[in-house]
C-alpha cells in the first residue's frame, strides 16, 4: 500500500473510532490499515478507542495486532490506553485491554507517571479499580491524588 493511501485510510480509521463505528473499523483493518499507526500528533487508535469507551473497537484493534501497552504521544492524548480507560471509568475497555495482555501496573510517562489504578481511584471509578486489582494491579500504587493532568 502506498504512503498516500495508507495515510488516507489511517485518517478514516480515526474518524470511524471517533464515531464509534465498529463496522467501519473492522473493514478498514481488513483493508490493511495498521492498528498501531498514529496520527500526525502521535495519538494511537487504541488510545482513542479506550479514552472514548469504545470497548468493541478496542477489542478489534487488539485482535488486529495493536500493542496494549504502547504509549500514545498526542497532544492532550498522551499515555497508555489502559490508563485512559481507567481514568474515565470505561470498564468494558479496561476488560478488553486486560484480556489482551495490558499490564495493570504499567505507569505512564515512561514509568514515572500514574498507574491505571491511580487513575481509576482518582475518578473515582470503583468498578474499574476492582477490575485492575483483580488483574494484579498493585494496590500500593493506587492511592487517590489530585488530578495532575488535563484530559
Amino acid at each position: 500500500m502506498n504512503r498516500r493511501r495508507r495515510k488516507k485510510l489511517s485518517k478514516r480509521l480515526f474518524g470511524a473510532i471517533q464515531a464509534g463505528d465498529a463496522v467501519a473499523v473492522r473493514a478498514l483493518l481488513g483493508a490493511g490499515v495498521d492498528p498501531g499507526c498514529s496520527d500526525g500528533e502521535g495519538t494511537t487508535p487504541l488510545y482513542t478507542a479506550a479514552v472514548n469507551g469504545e470497548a468493541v473497537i478496542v477489542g478489534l484493534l487488539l485482535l488486529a495486532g495493536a500493542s496494549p501497552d504502547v504509549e500514545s504521544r498526542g497532544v492532550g492524548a498522551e499515555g497508555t490506553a489502559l490508563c485512559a480507560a481507567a481514568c474515565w471509568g470505561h470498564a468494558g475497555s479496561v476488560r478488553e485491554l486486560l484480556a489482551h495482555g495490558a499490564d495493570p501496573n504499567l505507569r505512564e510517562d515512561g514509568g514515572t507517571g500514574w498507574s491505571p489504578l491511580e487513575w481509576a481511584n482518582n475518578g473515582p471509578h470503583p468498578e474499574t479499580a476492582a477490575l485492575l486489582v483483580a488483574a494484579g494491579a498493585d494496590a500500593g500504587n493506587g492511592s487517590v491524588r489530585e488530578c495532575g493532568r488535563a484530559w
Side-chain angles (χ1 to χ4, degrees):
M1 181 181 320
N2 69 36
R3 184 175 169 207
R4 184 175 179 187
R5 178 161 169 72
R6 192 170 46 243
K7 185 176 178 181
K8 186 176 182 179
L9 290 176
S10 176
K11 186 174 181 176
R12 285 186 188 164
L13 177 64
F14 278 91
I17 293 168
Q18 289 287 353
D21 189 345
V23 172
V25 169
R26 180 178 280 122
L28 288 160
L29 293 170
V33 175
D34 177 5
C37 67
S38 57
D39 68 9
E41 294 183 356
T43 304
T44 65
L46 188 58
Y47 181 94
T48 302
V51 80
N52 287 305
E54 296 292 345
V56 171
I57 294 173
V58 166
L60 290 171
L61 292 166
L62 290 164
L63 286 172
S67 175
D69 291 329
V70 168
E71 282 197 55
S72 182
R73 302 283 181 209
V75 177
E78 61 276 337
T80 67
L82 187 56
C83 285
C87 174
W88 292 101
H90 297 309
S93 294
V94 168
R95 280 188 195 92
E96 283 293 329
L97 287 156
L98 292 171
H100 287 91
D103 181 349
N105 290 302
L106 181 64
R107 292 178 170 279
E108 294 182 304
D109 302 323
T112 63
W114 285 13
S115 71
L117 186 55
E118 286 171 318
W119 281 113
N121 283 336
N122 189 65
H125 303 292
E127 178 186 5
T128 303
L131 290 169
L132 292 163
V133 170
D138 180 1
N141 287 331
S143 60
V144 176
R145 301 185 193 178
E146 288 291 316
C147 189
R149 173 193 248 168
W151 284 88

